[in-house]
Amino acid sequence: MNGPVKTITRDPLLQPLTIKKLTLRNRIISTSHACGLEVGGMPEEAYQRYHEEKARGGLALSMFGGSSNVDLDSPNIFRQLNVGTDAIIPHLQRFSARMHDLGAALMCQITHLGRRGDPYAGDRLSTIGPSPVRETLHRSIPKEMDEHDIDRVVKAYAQAALRCKEGGLDGIETLAAGHLIGQFLSPLTNRRTDRFGGALENRLRFGLMVHEAIRKAVGDDFLVGMRFVVDEGPDGGLNFEECVKAALMLKAAGGVDFFNAIYGTMDTTRALAEENMPGMGSPLAPWVEPVGAFRHEVGLPVFHAARIADVASARFAVAEGRLDMAGMTRAQIADPHLVEKLAGGRETEIRPCVGATHCQSPYRPSCLHNAATGRELTLRHVIEKTDGPARKVVVVGGGPAGLEAARISAERGHAVSLYEAGGDLGGQIRIGATGSWRRDLMGIVEWREAELQRLGVAVHTNVYMESADITALEPDVVILATGGLPQIDLQEGALLCLNTWDVLTGQVPLHGEVLIYDGTGRHPGPLSAEQAREAGAEVAYVSIDAQLSEELTYAERLRWKKRFLQLGVRPVFESRLFAVQRKDNRLEASFVNEISREVTSVLVDQVIVEQGSIPMDEAYFALRTQSANDGVTDLDAMVKAAPQPRLRESGFELHRIGDAVSSRNIHAAVLDALRICSAL
């Protein structure tokens, strides 16, 4: 395949790879995932544009449709596609045509979830599996499949693969590990004594039948691969040697053209977050070595994706022969133009994936610091120059919202100056990047600092801007990204409490017995608990929520649960702090249990409260009457990233964004900035 991104280079990542009759233009792929943009199981316009952006950005192969379902008893439980119906074919035809026009290959992952499904989803059918062994994560106890079930599902796989071929795709992969093929293969989930159980050859029989049927349906030129485990790790039933043996049997049968290698299991939250899709706090590219050993043994092209978050890791893996294709899936969620920048000698401009796992939240595929991802129908990844006059834009506040506002405005061609009251840029990110595993967050700040320097933005630190200072600059546009201040909202005793910022910035030493009250379920509470324990304090942790870090992604939540176990902190949940008062030179904190309504009290030396922030909005209200829009941000125009209306002819345009509006996360802050400033 040829495409718009061409370069002559010795970079291993930019060399082509040919598998049968398909030539991939480089060694970077986006691997299959359920991106959350499907509509009724179909890849409609938003879904296709999300992948198309990566093709515009130069990737070789986009593999889409993570866990696409082949039959009725494999229901849609996390926004999968439905390849079990002919209705998908026209969507695939449009999808493949637009990707091929941009020089990228396209493949779909097809699967049957087996016991990983949900008996109460979709048509509310029983889940199925090789044996009635319950899965911890999805909680189903499957029906043991008989040979009629096996024949039906084998046929469904073949029909789904044929639909993909008729849709113009270049190939498909099945998903073995953790899904039905892998459930037959693993002795932990296959307890059968018939010809599908026992010896490895018998446990692989179902997978061989599936791939034989697929090959018969689609022919030899259509690529067929398998996402395959190279070692199930400490909780699994398959070791490296058995995985290699099974892979060689699949190869000998002619059923596979490539393997997409993964490590570990996926039937628990821990396995998903630490083995399958490791994020921040995990080593970069943790499974490249065992995958490389697997590739050496099987002698077929091997793809792999697991926290290959940066170009250097991908380049090493390919150059050293560990992989044939580097799956930089989350890296391209952060920057879908990664390949284009690499090929064009702009590697330093690549927006880094920091491993925050926000793209694995219910709001996926949203990236914590690329708000355009998943919103390609309304927002652009490449900011175009304004077709109007250059304007003087003043941005107040150097947190994520202000940094993004300055960056976008400068990309538009405006004259931009940014003013930050503190000595460093980054705002709350600098606070959030403290602790044992959150330091990679600083990549969000460092990339934007470098971009502002490249774009020539005038950055002023240690400057507190009041309303008169702002108007004296005679701006055309004022963006207030002034953030917020910690909130402590109690019936009694708020002034006796510390806030989490006091702790995380090191302004207050911790000692004795410390109570931390978490009223948000975000990071500051756990970060403060960690810092208190490391300072030698005893920690009591109380949360309003039903579980630790309830507002975070499952991977972040797991990370904090594990850290609390290491620190010996045992949280109390569903309790609300309502009063703190002095008692015997200590502090008495009173709680009400939200379930039982029982009131309890505890004596401690310090009380730390996390309840988010309230906006710093003095400048905003002082400037409103001088602005052309009375400080009103038209929400309809904002959501559409359209120019904002003016209420009067004179005055500057005034907006506030991020936590200067309300207490939210980094993604919300940069989204505010992108929506408003890309229309300036």
Side-chain angles (χ1 to χ4, degrees), residues 10 56 98 266 276 442 663:
R10 294 183 180 179
R56 292 183 188 279
R98 70 200 305 172
M266 60 171 68
N276 229 239
M442 284 305 298
S663 181

Side-chain angles (χ1 to χ4, degrees), residues 53-312:
E53 196 67 37
K54 302 176 190 183
R56 292 183 188 279
L59 93 165
L61 166 63
S62 197
M63 304 182 79
F64 71 99
S67 304
S68 296
N69 296 302
V70 301
D71 212 349
L72 291 175
D73 48 3
S74 182
N76 189 330
I77 58 173
F78 40 83
R79 306 294 299 274
Q80 302 110 294
L81 299 182
N82 182 4
V83 288
T85 171
D86 289 347
I88 200 170
I89 295 173
H91 296 284
L92 298 182
Q93 289 171 339
R94 289 190 293 272
F95 194 3
S96 58
R98 70 200 305 172
M99 297 293 282
H100 291 159
D101 285 346
L102 292 167
L106 188 66
M107 297 187 191
C108 183
Q109 182 184 91
I110 67 173
T111 195
H112 194 294
L113 295 169
R115 71 173 190 149
R116 195 171 170 77
D118 181 346
Y120 312 117
D123 293 305
R124 298 181 71 91
L125 299 171
S126 173
T127 58
I128 58 174
S131 302
V133 179
R134 180 181 184 267
E135 192 200 58
T136 303
L137 193 61
H138 290 80
R139 312 186 66 82
S140 89
I141 302 174
K143 166 198 172 186
E144 182 173 300
M145 295 170 69
D146 59 27
E147 295 218 17
H148 293 289
D149 294 317
I150 290 171
D151 290 341
R152 169 177 58 83
V153 174
V154 167
K155 183 179 179 182
Y157 266 105
Q159 291 172 333
L162 183 58
R163 292 184 187 103
C164 292
K165 182 178 181 179
E166 292 174 350
L169 306 189
D170 299 286
I172 57 98
E173 69 172 6
T174 61
L175 175 49
H179 288 222
L180 190 54
I181 293 174
Q183 291 161 26
F184 269 91
L185 186 57
S186 175
L188 292 184
T189 48
N190 185 346
R191 313 284 177 80
R192 302 173 76 101
T193 58
D194 62 1
R195 67 191 185 108
F196 291 95
L200 179 65
E201 293 79 2
N202 287 345
R203 287 183 274 120
L204 185 61
R205 191 183 305 277
F206 174 71
L208 287 169
M209 290 170 61
V210 166
H211 276 255
E212 180 183 10
I214 289 173
R215 183 66 78 194
K216 184 176 180 180
V218 300
D220 290 332
D221 292 340
F222 189 73
L223 293 189
V224 178
M226 180 182 283
R227 189 173 293 200
F228 189 79
V229 66
V230 302
D231 188 327
E232 285 196 325
D235 294 337
L238 291 168
N239 59 31
F240 178 82
E241 289 73 21
E242 285 185 299
C243 291
V244 168
K245 185 177 179 181
L248 290 173
M249 292 166 63
L250 285 160
K251 175 186 175 182
V256 290
D257 300 309
F258 65 88
F259 287 104
N260 193 349
I262 60 175
Y263 180 95
T265 57
M266 60 171 68
D267 56 354
T268 64
T269 302
R270 185 211 62 79
L272 266 183
E274 294 186 346
E275 296 171 0
N276 229 239
M277 291 178 282
M280 188 185 296
S282 303
L284 289 171
W287 314 125
V288 162
E289 290 304 316
V291 168
F294 175 84
R295 177 183 180 272
H296 177 75
E297 295 290 337
V298 300
L300 282 177
V302 170
F303 308 168
H304 173 60
R307 196 152 154 74
I308 303 179
D310 64 306
V311 167

